[in-house]
Protein backbone atom coordinates (compact mmCIF):
# COMPACT_ATOMS: atom_id res chain seq x y z
CA UNK A 1 0.00 0.00 0.00
CA UNK A 2 1.48 3.35 -0.99
CA UNK A 3 1.67 6.10 1.64
CA UNK A 4 -1.33 8.34 2.10
CA UNK A 5 -0.72 12.08 1.81
CA UNK A 6 -2.50 14.92 3.51
CA UNK A 7 -3.64 17.49 0.96
CA UNK A 8 -2.16 21.00 1.01
CA UNK A 9 -5.47 22.36 2.35
CA UNK A 10 -7.44 20.40 4.91
CA UNK A 11 -10.27 22.31 6.51
CA UNK A 12 -13.51 21.28 8.19
CA UNK A 13 -15.51 21.10 4.96
CA UNK A 14 -13.00 18.64 3.43
CA UNK A 15 -12.02 16.40 6.33
CA UNK A 16 -15.02 14.08 6.46
CA UNK A 17 -14.92 13.37 2.72
CA UNK A 18 -11.16 12.76 2.83
CA UNK A 19 -11.47 10.31 5.71
CA UNK A 20 -14.42 8.49 4.12
CA UNK A 21 -12.49 8.14 0.86
CA UNK A 22 -9.42 6.73 2.60
CA UNK A 23 -11.40 4.28 4.73
CA UNK A 24 -13.37 3.08 1.69
CA UNK A 25 -10.12 2.46 -0.20
CA UNK A 26 -8.44 0.43 2.54
CA UNK A 27 -7.66 -3.06 1.24
CA UNK A 28 -8.95 -6.07 3.18
CA UNK A 29 -5.40 -7.05 4.12
CA UNK A 30 -3.32 -4.26 5.63
CA UNK A 31 0.35 -4.06 6.53
CA UNK A 32 1.23 -3.78 10.22
CA UNK A 33 1.39 0.00 9.76
CA UNK A 34 0.01 2.42 7.19
CA UNK A 35 2.20 5.44 6.50
CA UNK A 36 0.69 8.89 6.14
CA UNK A 37 2.80 11.76 4.84
CA UNK A 38 1.73 14.99 6.54
CA UNK A 39 4.52 17.16 5.17
CA UNK A 40 2.44 18.77 2.41
CA UNK A 41 -0.35 20.21 4.54
CA UNK A 42 -0.15 24.01 4.61
CA UNK A 43 -3.62 25.26 5.47
CA UNK A 44 -5.51 23.29 8.09
CA UNK A 45 -7.63 23.53 11.20
CA UNK A 46 -8.39 21.16 14.07
CA UNK A 47 -10.43 18.94 11.76
CA UNK A 48 -7.09 17.71 10.38
CA UNK A 49 -6.48 16.16 13.79
CA UNK A 50 -9.97 14.64 13.74
CA UNK A 51 -9.17 13.10 10.36
CA UNK A 52 -5.89 11.63 11.64
CA UNK A 53 -7.56 10.24 14.74
CA UNK A 54 -10.43 8.81 12.67
CA UNK A 55 -7.99 7.12 10.33
CA UNK A 56 -6.03 5.79 13.28
CA UNK A 57 -9.23 4.37 14.77
CA UNK A 58 -10.25 2.72 11.45
CA UNK A 59 -6.80 1.18 11.02
CA UNK A 60 -6.70 -0.07 14.61
CA UNK A 61 -10.06 -1.81 14.08
CA UNK A 62 -8.52 -3.61 11.10
CA UNK A 63 -5.40 -4.65 13.03
CA UNK A 64 -3.05 -2.04 11.63
CA UNK A 65 -1.41 1.10 12.97
CA UNK A 66 -0.99 4.63 11.67
CA UNK A 67 2.50 6.05 11.19
CA UNK A 68 2.42 9.80 10.61
CA UNK A 69 5.55 11.13 8.94
CA UNK A 70 6.59 14.67 8.16
CA UNK A 71 4.40 16.52 10.63
CA UNK A 72 4.92 20.24 10.16
CA UNK A 73 5.78 22.31 13.23
CA UNK A 74 2.30 23.90 13.16
CA UNK A 75 0.60 20.51 13.01
CA UNK A 76 2.76 19.24 15.89
CA UNK A 77 1.90 22.33 17.90
CA UNK A 78 -1.82 21.86 17.32
CA UNK A 79 -1.62 18.16 18.22
CA UNK A 80 0.22 19.03 21.42
CA UNK A 81 -2.27 21.77 22.26
CA UNK A 82 -5.15 19.32 21.89
CA UNK A 83 -3.29 16.63 23.86
CA UNK A 84 -3.24 14.04 21.08
CA UNK A 85 0.42 14.10 20.09
CA UNK A 86 1.03 10.77 21.87
CA UNK A 87 -1.59 9.19 19.60
CA UNK A 88 -0.02 10.67 16.49
CA UNK A 89 3.66 10.25 17.19
CA UNK A 90 5.58 10.69 13.96
CA UNK A 91 7.34 7.62 12.70
Amino acid sequence: MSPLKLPATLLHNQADACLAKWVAQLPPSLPPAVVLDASGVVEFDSSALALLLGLRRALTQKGSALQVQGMTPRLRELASLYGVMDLLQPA
Side-chain angles (χ1 to χ4, degrees), residues 18 35 38 40 69 72 83:
C18 187
V35 176
Q69 296 179 343
T72 64

Side-chain angles (χ1 to χ4, degrees), residues 4-11 22 36-53 66-90:
L4 301 172
K5 291 185 127 194
L6 285 182
T9 301
L10 184 57
L11 301 173
W22 284 347
L36 182 134
D37 179 2
S39 64
V41 69
V42 177
E43 183 181 4
F44 60 91
D45 58 20
S46 61
S47 57
L49 295 178
L51 178 144
L52 294 174
L53 293 172
L66 176 63
Q67 286 185 348
V68 180
Q69 296 179 343
M71 286 182 82
T72 64
R74 285 184 52 228
L75 186 56
R76 285 177 186 262
E77 183 180 342
L78 189 63
S80 293
L81 178 69
Y82 277 80
V84 297
M85 190 61 187
D86 288 346
L87 298 174
L88 303 173
Q89 281 297 310

